[in-house]
Amino acid sequence: MLNQEQYFNQEQYSERLYEEDELLLSVKEAIRNGGMPEVSIAPGYGRLLGMLVSLSRSSSVLEIGALGGYSGICLARGLAPGGTLTSLELKPEYAEMARRHLEQAGFGGIVEYRTGPALDSLSKLQEEGRTFDFFFIDADKENYPNYLEYAIRLANPGAIIAGDNIFLRGRTLNADKNGPAVQAMRRFNEMIASDSRLTSTLLPAYDGLALAMVK
C-alpha cells in the first residue's frame, strides 16, 4: 500500500502502482548516456499508446519522431499480428539507436525507418499511396500542425492520432510565451479540437496528450 508521504502528485502516484519496465528503463539510460534529449513519452502515456494500438486493432502505425525507440516499443507492443511500424526520424544516429532497441525488444522485423526531414518523408509516403491506422506525433513542435494535416490525409477511416507534449511544460498555457513552437502547438491543439474531420480530446496529465479519431 502507498501512503501520502510516498508521492507528490497524480502522476507519481499512478506510476508507483506499476512495476518498472526494465527494457524501457534501459532505453532511457541509453538515451541519457548518448547525450540525446531526454524527452521520451511518459511511462503512463507509453502504456496508453500500446493499449490504444491494441484496442483499435491497428496493423499499420506511423511514428513521427523515433528518438531512441522508447515510444516505438510501446507502439509495437500493441500491434495486431502481422502489423508494421513505420518510424520517421530526422537524425540517422537516433534512428539507428531506435532500430537496435526495437530489435532487442523483438520487433526488428516489423519496423521501417525513414530518415531526414519528416515532411519530406510524409510527402513520399503520400506519393506511394500509403495509409495507416494509428499515428503518433512526437517530433519538432513547429511542424505539429503540418504533421496533423498529413496524418489526416494518410489515415484509414477510424484511424487514431496521438500528439505528445501539447503543453510544452506549461509554455502553451502562458500568455507571455509566444515563440514559434508555442504558437504552433496552440494551433495544433485548436485544430485537434475544432477540425470537423476529427473526434478528439486532450489529456492533461504529464505534459499533455492529444487524441483524435479520424471520421
Side-chain angles (χ1 to χ4, degrees), residues 173-208:
L173 288 65
N174 188 339
D176 294 329
K177 302 292 184 180
N178 290 289
V182 173
Q183 292 188 50
M185 189 57 71
R186 288 174 183 150
R187 176 60 182 149
F188 171 85
N189 293 338
E190 291 164 2
M191 290 170 65
I192 281 277
S194 63
D195 196 303
S196 62
R197 297 169 292 179
L198 304 173
T199 300
S200 68
T201 192
L202 304 182
L203 304 184
Y206 304 101
D207 197 27

Side-chain angles (χ1 to χ4, degrees), residues 22-95:
E22 294 297 332
L23 176 60
L24 294 179
L25 284 174
S26 71
V27 173
K28 293 175 75 172
E29 182 178 4
I31 289 171
R32 185 181 309 112
N33 293 339
M36 298 162 63
E38 296 182 47
V39 292
S40 298
I41 192 169
Y45 281 159
R47 292 189 295 272
L48 178 61
L49 287 183
M51 289 178 60
L52 290 173
V53 172
S54 179
L55 287 168
S56 59
R57 299 182 180 181
S58 296
S59 60
S60 54
V61 174
L62 178 64
E63 173 186 46
I64 305 175
L67 193 60
Y70 188 107
S71 58
I73 292 172
C74 295
L75 293 162
R77 284 174 170 174
L79 274 168
T84 60
L85 170 66
T86 300
S87 185
L88 312 183
E89 173 54 53
L90 176 64
K91 297 185 177 183
E93 63 271 26
Y94 289 9

Side-chain angles (χ1 to χ4, degrees), residues 52-210:
L52 290 173
V53 172
S54 179
L55 287 168
S56 59
R57 299 182 180 181
S58 296
S59 60
S60 54
V61 174
L62 178 64
E63 173 186 46
I64 305 175
L67 193 60
Y70 188 107
S71 58
I73 292 172
C74 295
L75 293 162
R77 284 174 170 174
L79 274 168
T84 60
L85 170 66
T86 300
S87 185
L88 312 183
E89 173 54 53
L90 176 64
K91 297 185 177 183
E93 63 271 26
Y94 289 9
E96 183 56 35
M97 177 183 283
R99 186 192 306 276
R100 292 197 304 270
H101 287 143
L102 267 291
E103 290 174 352
Q104 181 182 349
F107 300 119
I110 66 170
V111 185
E112 172 195 6
Y113 288 94
R114 299 194 180 198
T115 58
L119 290 178
D120 293 345
S121 296
L122 289 164
S123 177
K124 181 67 173 175
L125 288 169
Q126 185 174 15
E127 290 175 7
E128 295 170 5
R130 296 281 299 277
T131 58
F132 300 89
D133 302 318
F134 197 102
F135 301 82
F136 178 52
I137 304 171
D138 190 13
D140 58 300
K141 308 312 176 190
E142 293 181 31
N143 272 312
Y144 261 47
N146 296 324
Y147 296 151
L148 177 59
E149 185 59 41
Y150 262 112
I152 295 171
R153 293 181 204 168
L154 298 173
N156 291 319
I160 303 296
I161 302 171
D164 197 25
N165 305 122
I166 61 173
F167 298 139
L168 294 178
R169 300 184 179 181
R171 286 183 291 151
T172 305
L173 288 65
N174 188 339
D176 294 329
K177 302 292 184 180
N178 290 289
V182 173
Q183 292 188 50
M185 189 57 71
R186 288 174 183 150
R187 176 60 182 149
F188 171 85
N189 293 338
E190 291 164 2
M191 290 170 65
I192 281 277
S194 63
D195 196 303
S196 62
R197 297 169 292 179
L198 304 173
T199 300
S200 68
T201 192
L202 304 182
L203 304 184
Y206 304 101
D207 197 27
L209 186 75

